[in-house]
Amino acid sequence: MSVIPVPATPEPSETPETTTPPLRLVTHEHAWELRSVEYDDAFEVRRYECTDCDDVLYR
């Protein structure tokens, strides 16, 4: 029989910082502009981009 030690749970103040960027709140109305239209097996995919930010919408 072998024993495997279990690491201690860190305190909340000892939690390492994450490298993911924080969420951002969009504070404007998106102004969508059609950027491209692609066709795939009789389906039409339209790509819209906001003119004020980097958000993308597909329909």
Side-chain angles (χ1 to χ4, degrees):
M1 179 162 99
S2 62
V3 177
I4 300 172
V6 177
T9 305
E11 293 296 321
S13 61
E14 297 175 5
T15 308
E17 294 295 322
T18 60
T19 58
T20 57
L23 295 176
R24 61 183 173 83
L25 180 63
V26 176
T27 57
H28 69 276
E29 288 292 322
H30 291 290
W32 298 112
E33 185 174 287
L34 180 63
R35 296 294 182 163
S36 67
V37 179
E38 296 180 9
Y39 299 94
D40 184 28
D41 294 332
F43 290 104
E44 181 179 280
V45 179
R46 293 177 179 223
R47 176 189 170 111
Y48 295 88
E49 293 181 5
C50 180
T51 57
D52 296 327
C53 67
D54 295 330
D55 287 353
V56 177
L57 174 70
Y58 292 96
R59 289 194 178 173

